Amino acid sequence: MLFLLPELPSPRVDALLAQARREGLIAHAARAQGGRWRLSLLGERSACAAFARTLAAEPLPCAEEDEFLPLASRALDPSDRAVDFDGVSIGDGAFAVVAGPCAIEGEEQLLAAARAVREAGAAALRGGAFKPRTSPYSFPGLGRAGLELLARARAATGLPTVTEVVDPADVDAVAQHASVLQVGARNMQNYRLLEAVGRAARPVLLKRGLGARLDELLHAAERVLAAGNPNVLLCERGVRSFETATRCTLDLGGVAWLKRRSRLPVLVDPSHAAGDRALVPPLALAAAACGADGLLVEVHPAPERARCDGEQSLACEDFARLMERLRAVLAALGRTLASAPPLPAAARSRV
């Protein structure tokens, strides 16, 4: 819960914080606009309500209901949060591109994609080992064998890796092989999975559900944060609407809203939004222009032979052209691309 209190002397505010903490609440106070104190309380609603009744002044609830999102919103800390992993930082002002195949199909395919996206300027590699497909007859991914290939690709190219986890039982195994744990759109409100990745030691990339509101995305992120994991990346990947010309409708207004409302970094996935590789570059450039912190782009060495989402995957040479255009857009905005970590010495002669 969040309250705006009239001007009070600091000792009185300190006493209120001490009282709240004695009652088992997490309490924080900061100066708000106009000189008022912004008092944030985290705990059971009944306990927060009971404490509120003890306040000498009548509390004024925040109009944006920050009381329900003390960790994902800017209520306790208005500053932007950067998420760091394996030599890459997302949310520090630089624009990070995570690219690679939708599904890991084999070592040759994955290494070809990884080397191509690194050469073009990507900061990290994406690749799906577990694929929750709509049809039970579609390629489901290589599973744990795919995780091993992902680890080899990282060793060969130095790129940190992002891959999806779909089952709480697999969180530890995926965390041993990947730099970032992705929770896909279909699992955005899988609360057991959110709590499991919240207990993991890896950052979490949380995709917005196909029919989820923005506040529901933030509540899902709050569940991960409340479980103990402070490193959460949000991802807008398009929502299902009445429009059928594109696979989904990319909500770039939602990206701007999230950047204003939340301190968490926001990525955009133009590939799943478009469903058509010809639309991926303009959507990617628009994402950079609207203030996103980075992209998640599908790239395949031979999209026409891809076993998953080939129609929306860029060929390696098309991705390289997109990156050149992206540099120009970012330069106009006074921004730069985030860099990949240095190439491992043992791999320099092979990449």
Side-chain angles (χ1 to χ4, degrees), residues 37 52 68 83 118 122 131 192 196 198 203 211-212 226-227 233 236 243 253 258 260 270 274 276 279 298 310 328-329:
W37 286 100
F68 304 120
V83 173
R118 181 184 176 100
K131 299 300 300 178
R192 288 190 178 181
L233 301 156
E236 163 60 32
E243 183 55 71
L258 287 170
R260 175 177 176 269
D276 178 347
L279 300 179
E298 293 187 351
V329 170

Side-chain angles (χ1 to χ4, degrees), residues 82-92 94-98 118 121-125 154 157-162 178-180 202-203 231 233 337-344:
V83 173
D84 302 322
F85 55 93
D86 296 340
V88 170
S89 182
I90 299 181
D92 65 351
F95 193 83
V97 177
V98 182
R118 181 184 176 100
L125 171 69
R154 178 185 172 189
T157 64
L159 289 175
T161 55
V162 178
S179 307
V180 177
R202 295 290 189 184
N231 298 307
L233 301 156
L337 278 173
S339 299
L343 189 65

Side-chain angles (χ1 to χ4, degrees), residues 108-126:
E108 181 179 354
Q109 168 249 16
L110 182 60
L111 284 176
R115 288 168 175 151
V117 300
R118 181 184 176 100
E119 183 177 356
L125 171 69
R126 62 148 295 154

